[in-house]
Amino acid sequence: DLHPEELADLFKTTQLVADLVEKHFSATSLTIAIQDGPEAGQSVRHVHVHVLPRREGDFQRNDSVYEELQRHDRESEDAPSGWRSEEEMGAEAADLRRLLQRT
């Protein structure tokens, strides 16, 4: 439902975030995904982009990243088994913010 200008802004922002994520996590590649609609695995009803840092051998089968993404999105927010803590996410956001300010 995005207008062309909004879509352009979304992808410009995605490109910027992708560069930061790749540097921050010392990744060699990225998976960038948008799940648009429930049949595509969208579990949150707003537009968002997954920017996933990747490294050689991180999944035995490369496309398993999509299965993992769907599994993660199905986990209950009340029982986030492998989720990072608020403190960990805050520290990561601060690191990414510092990287962004240097660009």
Side-chain angles (χ1 to χ4, degrees):
D1 296 331
L2 295 177
H3 298 285
E5 300 81 18
E6 294 168 322
L7 190 58
D9 285 346
L10 176 64
F11 277 94
K12 285 179 186 176
T13 303
T14 299
Q15 185 179 37
L16 177 65
V17 169
D19 184 51
L20 295 174
V21 165
E22 195 169 32
K23 288 176 184 168
H24 178 75
F25 291 101
S26 301
T28 55
S29 299
L30 297 164
T31 293
I32 298 174
I34 297 174
Q35 296 162 300
D36 188 13
E39 292 76 21
Q42 182 181 16
S43 58
V44 180
R45 295 193 63 185
H46 64 255
V47 65
H48 62 281
V49 179
H50 297 267
V51 179
L52 308 168
R54 302 293 305 274
R55 291 186 200 94
E56 184 175 350
D58 55 1
F59 288 93
Q60 186 174 6
R61 191 176 69 79
N62 191 45
D63 282 350
S64 293
V65 66
Y66 301 109
E67 296 160 9
E68 181 65 22
L69 183 60
Q70 285 186 338
R71 186 192 65 73
H72 178 274
D73 285 352
R74 281 193 303 264
E75 286 186 358
S76 168
E77 288 188 20
D78 296 329
S81 62
W83 292 16
R84 295 164 292 157
S85 70
E86 291 289 328
E87 293 79 21
E88 289 170 315
M89 290 187 286
E92 184 176 282
D95 288 344
L96 291 168
R97 187 175 298 111
R98 281 190 289 276
L99 275 176
L100 178 61
Q101 290 170 343
R102 287 188 224 152
T103 59

